[in-house]
Amino acid sequence: MDEVKLERVKDPQGATEVLKVSGGVTICEARDFREALLAALEAAPEVRVDVSALTGIDLTGLQLLCSAHQSALRRGKNLHVFDGGNATFREAANGAGFQRHTGCPQDRACSCIWVGGES
Amino acid sequence: MIDLHRQAFKEEAYELLAELESSLLELEERPDDQDLIGRVFRAMHTIKGSGSMFGFDDIASFTHEVETVFDMVRNGKLNVTGRLVNLTLAARDQIRAMLDAADSGAETDLQASAEIIVGLRELAGFVAADGGTPERQEKAETQRKDPVTYRIRFVPPRDIFVTGTNPLNLLAEMKELGTCTLVAQTDGFPPLEEMNPEGCYVYWEVILTTDQGENAVRDIFIFVEDDCELKIEVVAEHNRYDEQQDYKKLGEILLERGDITADEMKAVLSRQRRFGELAISEGILPEGRVQAALAEQKHVKEVRQEKQAADASSSIRVPAERLDLLVNLVGEMVTVQARLSQTAAQRDDAELMAIAEEVERLTAELRDSALNIRMLPIGSTFSKFKRLVRDLSAELGKQIEMTTEGEETELDKTVIEKLNDPLVHLIRNSIDHGIELPELREAAGKPARGTVRLAAVHSGDSVLITIADDGAGLDKEAIRTKGIERGIISASAELSEKELFGLIFAPGFSTAKTVSSISGRGVGMDVVKRAIESLRGSIDITSVRGQGTCITVKIPLTLAIIESLLVKIGNDSFMMPLALVDECVELTREDVARSHGRNLAHVREHLVPYIPLREHFRITGPPPEIEQIVITQVNGTRVGFVVDHVIGEHQTVIKSLGRAYKDTEGISGATILGDGSVALILDIPQLVQAVETEQN
């Protein structure tokens, strides 16, 4: 599996923080991934996790994404996952049973990252 | 009541036996085909089971012996051999004889039964000596089960990742057991900052529909079972016949699973929204639970729908008379509809016309689907012939292979039934006179094994059935000599190849020098021809000496409706089957005068003989100045029929004539026209024949 790369980019307006994740996220990188997600949530009200260049993700990674989304909602912030049609990511999520018809109770804004074909 | 069931059993058994026969013949060619072995076993098993249920105890006990042997074959303890197939075929015939005898009260040949059983036991006993493998049989037993839908909750221990087990692998294994829906449950997730990135917080609700037992599911989790929470419940067993397609409501599932309490459910239900959405937004339940419950609902529904679809696609048994009645009624309906359209047109009433058109469209659809119900694939008839070929070739010491094509071609049920005997005759002829003995074939440079090809194909509103062999072909000289000998043709007659081959359909014609038990009594071909013609079909032969013979039978798709040409003579209407009509030409008084009463018309330099129907049917009154000749094609020659007027094309629902008119020559049936009057349908070939014999 390719080495994971976590890049944080701020868009010009400063309202959205983009966390670009590329390579493979496994249990070895889980701690770093969590820190990166937390830092991104601190930095801006709107976080976009770009997983379009992801080449692999295990259960720990999926758990962290879901938890990050829930945490963002609790803080009144927004977190989106952008997969750009990344089949690896979709297969991993569906294969582990994360796909949903409706979001969780925290998800008042209908932004659940697992609903439909992730935006 | 009992009789009714017995009758149903017999019908089913006959069908099973037919299937059994074709499976056995296929098995002979592909002895390792597990699918076929399974089919044979199941057929035997069903006959045995329902046989004993309806009091056919002798059949049940006899079939049991055969079933036992095939159970061994199925379990790999016995190989399929020619002897086994022979014995099983004999057993199949014996079961059939027992079924036949059950009603008539005749004694079945117990000696034959005993011989077959002894033979089978010998086969089985011989192999049983070298021991079987009981485990294999057991395994086969556990696998034959109806599917069950399970609800599985799998909560892995928090440290499962650290121990090196990937829960996804376990889930993947479960997916292989059957249809499986995973729903990851995320409700136990702590906030990100409190989450141990290496801990496992997710757990799953799994809905699995499988034909494996609960133990198969447990086995997957065997290494983690002690540390994890694993709950397996049966949601539905899909084996009962009285299943409803509606499964429990979502709320009921959640309540049953203990995910919500009855009070909570009532509270949510008091508001009229979709239950799942409500329950989630109320915060009663995590969405994952609802998702799992929805998956459960879906699984059960799908299995039940599949079952229903399978039941629906199987078939309904309906007595043929009911279908005939339906087709008759539809026929009358078509007639009434024609009257309606005609009346509407005469009244010039737009509203009535609109209704008439609607009725016309519906009637056409109704007619097509009613006729369609009676259509059956010809394949079942074909497979019967396989047995015929096998037995006959063995009897004659010939090696013959039969190939079939177009088994799926559909024909009206009555047509298929009436086609059976003529086809048997033709195939017998091919085997007996066509295909040579292996030595002769090899001497002629042909493969020792001869081929009879049976094919059916749609061609317009007809079906063409070809019986082709690669045998010796027809001997033109022998046919000619025989024709002269029998006085069918004169010694000086110049005959085309077609006419010469046509001679073999003449009554009392047989070229076989010796009479064999199979064919050659000289009663074959003329009977065949008559049978085919009674189906409004035709028969055609091509043959090349030394290379083989090909017989083509052309049969209309259905007997209930024909396209025909409506003509009038005086005040009477007649129908001529359009398939036979070539063209129409005028006949003036001068033309008649010129031919000096010889009934010959000049059509584009050719002379066409004609039959004045007015005279033939002794219709009184003067003919019109200009009459019409409808020129038809009968057995390759053109013959005209003189009528007063040609009205036009007409789709005709055929009504058979009453018994009193059954033998009326030249008339094959009748139909009712739009205005309520009756038109007779002309039997063109018969008319031509009648006039020919009259002149001779």
Side-chain angles (χ1 to χ4, degrees):
Chain A
M1 206 175 274
D2 302 340
E3 188 128 333
V4 72
K5 233 162 93 192
L6 299 159
E7 288 170 90
R8 278 174 58 196
V9 191
K10 219 175 185 75
D11 76 348
Q13 282 88 41
T16 310
E17 178 92 5
V18 179
L19 177 65
K20 189 166 170 60
V21 193
S22 45
V25 180
T26 66
I27 190 164
C28 306
E29 293 83 32
R31 206 161 286 276
D32 295 343
F33 188 37
R34 188 182 75 137
E35 297 314 318
L37 284 167
L38 274 171
L41 271 181
E42 285 301 319
E46 185 100 21
V47 177
R48 199 157 112 119
V49 186
D50 182 345
V51 295
S52 54
L54 206 74
T55 55
I57 185 162
D58 71 357
L59 274 174
T60 59
L62 292 168
Q63 280 188 150
L64 285 169
L65 273 178
C66 190
S67 173
H69 179 247
Q70 291 183 25
S71 298
L73 293 170
R74 281 200 199 94
R75 295 175 195 197
K77 296 189 174 188
N78 270 325
L79 182 136
H80 307 287
V81 173
F82 172 77
D83 69 3
N86 183 342
T88 314
F89 178 74
R90 289 190 181 181
E91 270 164 32
N94 289 342
F98 274 87
Q99 77 289 351
R100 283 291 185 278
H101 298 306
T102 41
C104 59
Q106 284 83 22
D107 184 27
R108 304 274 172 194
C110 294
S111 63
C112 176
I113 54 177
W114 312 121
V115 172
E118 290 89 337
S119 58
Chain B
M1 204 56 197
I2 291 287
D3 278 349
L4 207 66
H5 287 308
R6 280 173 69 101
Q7 194 52 40
F9 162 71
K10 278 184 70 176
E11 274 173 30
E12 191 195 350
Y14 281 130
E15 267 171 36
L16 282 167
L17 288 174
E19 194 192 310
L20 184 65
E21 185 172 50
S22 59
S23 301
L24 282 169
L25 293 172
E26 275 181 62
L27 195 59
E28 199 171 31
E29 286 159 28
R30 300 198 303 277
D32 295 324
D33 193 328
Q34 283 301 322
D35 212 39
L36 283 173
I37 296 170
R39 276 220 299 265
V40 171
F41 177 80
R42 278 194 299 277
M44 289 291 184
H45 189 76
T46 313
I47 294 171
K48 182 185 85 167
S50 33
S52 69
M53 200 185 302
F54 298 113
F56 294 90
D57 292 329
D58 50 343
I59 292 179
S61 63
F62 177 73
T63 315
H64 173 74
E65 298 284 341
V66 193
E67 187 200 343
T68 314
V69 176
F70 264 85
D71 194 35
M72 294 175 71
V73 176
R74 208 170 52 128
N75 292 318
K77 284 185 249 167
L78 192 67
N79 288 329
V80 177
T81 55
R83 182 161 155 70
L84 177 68
V85 173
N86 278 336
L87 274 169
T88 319
L89 278 173
R92 175 226 168 248
D93 295 345
Q94 186 67 12
I95 296 170
R96 210 192 141 88
M98 286 162 128
L99 275 173
D100 290 340
D103 272 349
S104 57
E107 283 292 310
T108 37
D109 188 354
L110 292 176
Q111 183 63 33
S113 300
E115 270 169 27
I116 294 167
I117 290 173
V118 167
L120 284 170
R121 280 189 183 153
E122 250 173 42
L123 261 184
F126 175 68
V127 199
D130 53 40
T133 42
E135 302 96 288
R136 251 186 101 170
Q137 187 167 6
E138 216 168 83
K139 199 171 171 204
E141 213 63 49
T142 52
Q143 275 172 354
R144 255 183 306 126
K145 270 191 181 163
D146 291 316
V148 176
T149 300
Y150 293 100
R151 167 197 295 169
I152 301 155
R153 176 170 296 173
F154 170 49
V155 186
R158 184 66 41 93
D159 62 351
I160 191 166
F161 296 143
V162 189
T163 63
T165 310
N166 186 352
L168 287 181
N169 292 344
L170 301 176
L171 297 171
E173 252 183 79
M174 192 146 58
K175 282 183 188 166
E176 279 170 17
L177 291 181
T179 322
C180 178
T181 308
L182 288 179
V183 185
Q185 303 295 317
T186 57
D187 57 302
F189 286 14
L192 196 56
E193 48 273 49
E194 290 166 31
M195 192 179 231
N196 170 10
E198 285 158 17
C200 181
Y201 295 91
V202 63
Y203 66 96
W204 287 271
E205 295 275 351
V206 185
I207 311 299
L208 172 71
T209 304
T210 173
D211 50 5
Q212 310 274 317
E214 190 180 320
N215 284 335
V217 183
R218 276 196 191 280
D219 285 348
I220 295 174
F221 298 97
I222 200 154
F223 296 112
V224 291
E225 207 179 354
D226 293 342
D227 302 317
C228 73
E229 186 192 326
L230 181 68
K231 205 162 99 189
I232 302 176
E233 289 171 285
V234 176
V235 178
E237 289 177 66
H238 306 284
N239 55 353
R240 270 166 270 139
Y241 290 106
D242 55 352
E243 273 181 353
Q244 313 265 304
Q245 201 179 326
D246 283 337
Y247 186 55
K248 293 164 197 149
K249 296 241 165 48
L250 184 59
E252 288 167 346
I253 299 175
L254 290 165
L255 189 65
E256 192 185 291
R257 288 160 158 250
D259 286 344
I260 58 168
T261 65
D263 286 345
E264 281 168 337
M265 184 168 92
K266 267 188 210 146
V268 176
L269 276 178
S270 62
R271 265 159 286 165
Q272 291 289 316
R273 264 172 69 189
R274 290 185 71 179
F275 188 85
E277 290 165 25
L278 276 169
I280 297 165
S281 63
E282 286 296 303
I284 299 170
L285 293 171
E287 82 300 339
R289 298 297 179 83
V290 178
Q291 183 99 16
L294 283 170
E296 178 178 322
Q297 221 177 16
K298 199 169 150 229
H299 266 245
V300 175
K301 269 188 194 161
E302 268 169 15
V303 175
R304 290 187 182 168
Q305 267 167 5
E306 254 169 49
K307 263 190 102 109
Q308 286 208 339
D311 288 349
S313 72
S314 54
S315 61
I316 313 174
R317 204 178 291 272
V318 178
E321 309 91 76
R322 280 199 212 165
L323 285 185
D324 293 344
L325 183 65
L326 179 70
V327 171
N328 269 339
L329 287 173
V330 169
E332 281 180 35
M333 180 97 174
V334 171
T335 310
V336 173
Q337 175 266 315
R339 285 176 68 180
L340 178 66
S341 298
Q342 210 172 340
T343 315
Q346 280 165 2
R347 296 268 165 92
D348 202 17
D349 179 339
E351 208 176 332
L352 189 59
M353 292 267 272
I355 298 172
E357 269 169 32
E358 188 82 339
V359 173
E360 189 173 340
R361 186 180 59 78
L362 282 174
T363 318
E365 270 178 42
L366 184 63
R367 184 197 60 208
D368 289 349
S369 51
L371 290 178
N372 230 341
I373 299 176
R374 290 156 50 105
M375 297 298 237
L376 289 176
I378 200 166
S380 56
T381 310
F382 278 8
S383 52
K384 261 192 264 172
F385 297 148
K386 281 205 167 167
R387 177 75 185 274
L388 178 80
V389 171
R390 181 186 184 274
D391 290 356
L392 280 185
S393 49
E395 198 177 312
L396 293 167
K398 294 179 180 179
Q399 293 174 14
I400 299 171
E401 185 184 12
M402 185 167 104
T403 62
T404 53
E405 277 166 47
E407 288 96 334
E408 70 291 341
T409 312
E410 287 191 328
L411 264 171
D412 193 284
K413 184 177 176 296
T414 40
V415 178
I416 288 190
E417 279 164 6
K418 288 183 183 159
L419 211 50
N420 187 54
D421 288 350
L423 287 183
V424 167
H425 258 297
L426 291 174
I427 292 170
R428 283 181 167 206
N429 266 321
S430 280
I431 296 171
D432 199 15
H433 305 315
I435 307 270
E436 315 91 326
L437 288 166
E439 308 86 67
L440 284 173
R441 290 182 63 87
E442 274 176 344
K446 291 198 266 192
R449 180 179 265 257
T451 312
V452 176
R453 196 174 64 94
L454 195 57
V457 67
H458 274 291
S459 155
D461 59 352
S462 319
V463 169
L464 297 179
I465 299 169
T466 20
I467 300 124
D469 65 61
D470 62 350
L474 293 176
D475 186 345
K476 280 185 219 162
E477 275 318 300
I479 295 173
R480 200 187 160 77
T481 318
K482 194 85 171 186
I484 297 166
E485 196 179 298
R486 295 279 153 109
I488 303 167
I489 49 167
S490 64
S492 58
E494 290 284 336
L495 294 174
S496 68
E497 190 177 84
K498 210 178 167 78
E499 285 167 318
L500 204 55
F501 290 157
L503 288 182
I504 64 171
F505 293 115
F509 186 96
S510 173
T511 57
K513 293 187 180 66
T514 52
V515 172
S516 73
S517 69
I518 290 157
S519 55
R521 276 186 214 92
V523 287
M525 293 304 249
D526 62 316
V527 177
V528 169
K529 190 178 158 86
R530 233 178 299 140
I532 302 283
E533 276 172 358
S534 76
L535 294 170
R536 297 206 322 272
S538 59
I539 188 164
D540 195 44
I541 301 186
T542 54
S543 176
V544 177
R545 188 85 186 127
Q547 285 179 23
T549 309
C550 176
I551 298 171
T552 308
V553 177
K554 188 177 174 184
I555 295 287
L557 272 182
T558 170
L559 294 179
I561 283 185
I562 53 165
E563 292 280 342
S564 54
L565 191 70
L566 181 62
V567 298
K568 272 198 133 164
I569 306 167
N571 288 323
D572 296 320
S573 305
F574 297 92
M575 295 283 191
M576 305 174 82
L578 203 57
L580 297 176
V581 175
D582 262 6
E583 60 180 324
C584 299
V585 294
E586 287 183 349
L587 179 72
T588 57
R589 288 279 161 83
E590 293 86 71
D591 293 332
V592 179
R594 238 188 333 226
S595 64
H596 308 290
R598 276 181 304 155
N599 289 352
L600 285 170
H602 264 285
V603 182
R604 291 188 298 276
E605 313 289 297
H606 288 281
L607 281 176
V608 177
Y610 61 77
I611 301 168
L613 284 181
R614 187 176 268 276
E615 277 171 39
H616 190 79
F617 290 135
R618 301 195 190 106
I619 296 167
T620 50
E625 273 301 309
I626 299 171
E627 291 174 286
Q628 305 284 332
I629 310 177
V630 181
I631 298 175
T632 59
Q633 188 82 244
V634 182
N635 298 332
T637 48
R638 277 155 64 88
V639 179
F641 290 85
V642 181
V643 300
D644 289 2
H645 305 283
V646 173
I647 310 289
E649 277 180 49
H650 203 276
Q651 199 165 55
T652 308
V653 180
I654 302 175
K655 298 254 166 203
S656 53
L657 294 168
R659 211 177 306 161
Y661 306 102
K662 211 176 113 200
D663 295 323
T664 313
E665 223 168 60
I667 306 291
S668 64
T671 188
I672 300 165
L673 297 175
D675 62 1
S677 64
V678 173
L680 295 172
I681 301 165
L682 299 181
D683 186 337
I684 306 283
Q686 213 179 30
L687 275 173
V688 173
Q689 214 177 341
V691 172
E692 270 172 4
T693 34
E694 209 175 281
Q695 282 173 349
N696 289 344

